Amino acid sequence: MAKTRRYTQRKRAADREETRLRIVEATMALHEEVGPSATTISAIAQRAGVQRLTVYRHFPDETAVFEACTRHWLELNPPPDPAAWASHEAGQSQARAALLAFYRYYRETQRMWRAAVRDEPKVPALQEPMKSFRSQLNALGETIGKGFGGAEDSLPTTTLRHALAFTTWASLEAQGLDDEAMADLVMAWLQGVRN
Amino acid sequence: MAKTRRYTQRKRAADREETRLRIVEATMALHEEVGPSATTISAIAQRAGVQRLTVYRHFPDETAVFEACTRHWLELNPPPDPAAWASHEAGQSQARAALLAFYRYYRETQRMWRAAVRDEPKVPALQEPMKSFRSQLNALGETIGKGFGGAEDSLPTTTLRHALAFTTWASLEAQGLDDEAMADLVMAWLQGVRN
DNA sequence: AGTTAAGTGAACATGTATGTTCACTGAATG
DNA sequence: CATTCAGTGAACATACATGTTCACTTAACT
């Protein structure tokens, strides 16, 4: 048994990390362009300028690449932080600020969101993060809804939960509304459910 | 050149028609269960109790089967007819009746709708009918919106168009609302945009 | 200078789908 | 009874994806 050689990697580890990053970023790009469900390992390798085998060296299977991709994408594109409106006093302006923040976020990141929402049922690696994002949204909807005097399942809370969903943004965007107009529209809805 | 024999098919034509129908219905079932994009000709054949070649005898390719499937499904599941509310006088009850009719329709046919909406981007054969359905919905939204004193892009019209979309029904359904509750909620929204 | 290991390029086995061809069966039809 | 043809069952070529193996190059490291 030979004496173990101390082998502290520096540049090699960095190179490896860089290759890994190229793979993850190629995956992100493909997820946006063709969607996760149509993103093959072959295509990832080609896009990253790497052999297919190299991808397998870094990730055991497609699911592992996808998970790394999701993590990395969320670091680059952090969603608005609900805590930011804990400071606002409850009510109109809090609600509008939250809606606007999410609508702007959805607009910036819409390509990935469309792909993710569309392929979620088919791509197990997407389901967990999407579910957790949705439950955060629902909690936020309830928090803000309380400012409108509603309980858990009150009309304001239901309206806010619906309004905060990406699919709602997409539906209103398809009608040509900009983010401000969407927020104003939802504020008007809240006006209606209040009475 | 032999004299052409008159050969008027009767039972054979009927049998052939029945086989075709079995294929179309197998396709419908698979579209609901796994979605159009995952529905293969092999699976259709198996489900219809028919050889794969037989499917090709009836339809040149997958697109042709899908088109026949869509047509047939729409005959079996006709969407609410907008003309039905032309008789109603414009206003609250007209709007609520229309919303409720679509929500009930969506609930009955939700499996197919979810599959269709999800796979639309990937399945060209779906795009044309979906587009045409949406434009009918938009027209209806505008018609009803006028009863609320709104022009083409008024808040009531925008709200109604959004409310009539399947994705909106799905979003509210996910919150546990029944169809009546949804219709009531949207009516409250309209109350808000009116002011 | 010798060792380590990331990445290469090619091959292989496997699976699944497409679309096409062919000889055959058997019931409807004239 | 002879003909027609929808459907059968099997084969074939093609394409593309997965996951694995192998010998090789080359640069980083001690």
Side-chain angles (χ1 to χ4, degrees):
Chain A
M1 195 170 270
K3 197 190 291 183
T4 318
R5 179 170 169 177
R6 268 180 304 120
Y7 194 87
T8 314
Q9 299 189 341
R10 292 189 303 272
K11 181 163 191 306
R12 288 184 80 155
D15 285 357
R16 194 173 200 285
E17 196 48 43
E18 203 224 286
T19 301
R20 195 192 130 101
L21 188 61
R22 281 225 312 283
I23 292 170
V24 171
E25 284 178 341
T27 308
M28 270 173 32
L30 286 166
H31 281 193
E32 278 198 2
E33 285 170 29
V34 303
S37 77
T39 295
T40 67
I41 292 194
S42 306
I44 291 170
Q46 197 177 350
R47 180 104 185 196
V50 132
Q51 280 293 84
R52 196 162 58 88
L53 179 54
T54 303
V55 178
Y56 284 110
R57 285 262 171 81
H58 284 266
F59 303 94
D61 53 27
E62 209 169 56
T63 301
V65 196
F66 283 15
E67 278 166 3
C69 172
T70 303
R71 243 192 315 276
H72 188 232
W73 187 87
L74 281 172
E75 274 171 31
L76 296 180
N77 303 278
D81 179 12
W85 299 285
S87 55
H88 273 64
E89 59 197 47
Q92 306 275 340
S93 72
Q94 179 198 39
R96 209 188 111 93
L99 288 166
L100 203 49
F102 275 92
Y103 290 165
R104 286 182 174 143
Y105 176 67
Y106 288 147
R107 187 172 298 275
E108 282 164 19
T109 57
Q110 57 177 296
R111 294 192 71 193
M112 191 57 100
W113 272 97
R114 287 185 205 276
V117 166
R118 167 164 43 82
D119 290 359
E120 184 189 352
K122 263 183 206 159
V123 181
L126 282 175
Q127 291 164 9
E128 193 278 314
M130 293 291 274
K131 187 179 163 188
S132 120
F133 182 83
R134 283 201 188 93
S135 76
Q136 285 186 357
L137 272 195
N138 284 340
L140 178 60
E142 194 182 329
T143 303
I144 306 180
K146 279 176 185 160
F148 285 75
E152 184 172 344
D153 287 0
S154 65
L155 294 189
T157 296
T158 302
T159 300
L160 281 160
R161 283 178 171 164
H162 172 69
L164 286 168
F166 173 77
T167 51
T168 296
W169 178 86
S171 169
L172 296 176
E173 197 275 335
Q175 288 200 57
L177 272 67
D178 65 29
D179 299 333
E180 301 261 347
M182 290 181 200
D184 290 338
L185 179 63
V186 174
M187 294 309 292
W189 291 351
L190 287 167
Q191 196 70 25
V193 298
R194 184 173 239 177
N195 306 337
Chain B
M1 193 170 274
K3 196 188 294 182
T4 318
R5 180 170 169 178
R6 268 179 307 119
Y7 195 87
T8 314
Q9 300 188 342
R10 292 189 303 276
K11 181 163 189 307
R12 288 185 80 153
D15 286 356
R16 194 173 201 285
E17 195 49 43
E18 202 224 286
T19 300
R20 194 191 132 102
L21 188 61
R22 279 224 313 284
I23 292 169
V24 171
E25 285 179 340
T27 308
M28 272 174 31
L30 287 166
H31 280 194
E32 277 199 1
E33 284 169 29
V34 301
S37 78
T39 295
T40 68
I41 293 194
S42 305
I44 292 169
Q46 198 176 351
R47 179 100 183 199
V50 134
Q51 281 294 88
R52 196 163 56 91
L53 179 55
T54 303
V55 177
Y56 285 110
R57 285 263 171 81
H58 283 266
F59 303 95
D61 53 28
E62 209 169 54
T63 301
V65 196
F66 283 15
E67 278 165 3
C69 171
T70 303
R71 243 192 315 277
H72 189 232
W73 188 86
L74 282 173
E75 273 170 31
L76 296 179
N77 302 278
D81 179 11
W85 301 284
S87 55
H88 273 65
E89 61 197 45
Q92 305 277 341
S93 74
Q94 179 199 39
R96 203 179 120 85
L99 288 166
L100 204 49
F102 275 93
Y103 291 165
R104 285 183 174 143
Y105 176 67
Y106 289 147
R107 188 172 297 274
E108 280 166 21
T109 57
Q110 58 176 296
R111 295 193 71 193
M112 189 59 98
W113 272 97
R114 288 186 204 277
V117 166
R118 167 165 44 82
D119 290 358
E120 184 189 352
K122 265 183 205 159
V123 181
L126 281 175
Q127 291 164 9
E128 194 277 316
M130 293 291 275
K131 188 178 162 188
S132 120
F133 181 83
R134 284 201 188 92
S135 76
Q136 285 186 356
L137 272 195
N138 284 339
L140 178 60
E142 195 184 329
T143 304
I144 305 180
K146 278 178 185 157
F148 285 74
E152 185 171 344
D153 289 359
S154 65
L155 295 189
T157 296
T158 302
T159 300
L160 280 160
R161 282 177 172 166
H162 172 71
L164 286 167
F166 173 77
T167 52
T168 296
W169 177 86
S171 170
L172 297 176
E173 196 275 335
Q175 289 200 55
L177 273 67
D178 65 29
D179 300 332
E180 300 262 346
M182 291 182 198
D184 289 338
L185 179 63
V186 173
M187 294 310 291
W189 292 351
L190 288 167
Q191 196 71 24
V193 297
R194 182 172 241 178
N195 306 336

